Amino acid sequence: SKNSVVCSFHFRGGAELLFDGVKKHQVTLPCQPEPWDIRNLLQWIKQNLLKERPELFMQGDSVRPGILVLINDADWELMGELDYKLQDQDNVLFISTLHGG
């Protein structure tokens, strides 16, 4: 079986307001048979960290348009987006580019 994965998540640009204003979360993801990918991770965040208004963070299986995702400082579009397999000590940054409204 796989070891658990320790990751840190950062929320910026207003995204942190959906997470009680907490900008950094250090998380140990539970062991599971399949590798953790971003698709699974978003569901986990939605169930475990997101405090309010999930529609402002997620749309369907993915983040809503206007939220940038960086994995270890690289645009997730270069990393396979939802299919990217998380590695231990990965750093995932969510930046909301939506202001006001």
Side-chain angles (χ1 to χ4, degrees), residues 52-66:
E52 54 188 298
R53 301 180 72 183
E55 72 280 1
L56 293 184
F57 184 68
M58 290 188 65
Q59 184 170 305
D61 286 345
S62 191
V63 291
R64 67 172 285 179

Side-chain angles (χ1 to χ4, degrees), residues 24-76:
K24 181 177 181 186
H25 297 258
Q26 184 89 10
V27 170
T28 302
L29 295 168
C31 298
Q32 62 173 29
E34 300 295 313
W36 281 93
D37 58 20
I38 298 291
R39 184 180 283 103
N40 296 338
L41 174 67
L42 287 171
Q43 293 301 323
W44 188 90
I45 287 176
K46 183 178 176 181
Q47 288 162 12
N48 294 278
L49 293 181
L50 197 53
K51 299 298 186 197
E52 54 188 298
R53 301 180 72 183
E55 72 280 1
L56 293 184
F57 184 68
M58 290 188 65
Q59 184 170 305
D61 286 345
S62 191
V63 291
R64 67 172 285 179
I67 293 182
L68 302 177
V69 183
L70 298 179
I71 301 168
N72 303 324
D73 298 322
D75 189 321
W76 76 325

Side-chain angles (χ1 to χ4, degrees), residues 5-16:
V5 177
V6 178
C7 295
S8 51
F9 312 133
H10 300 261
F11 301 96
R12 298 273 190 279
E16 70 277 4

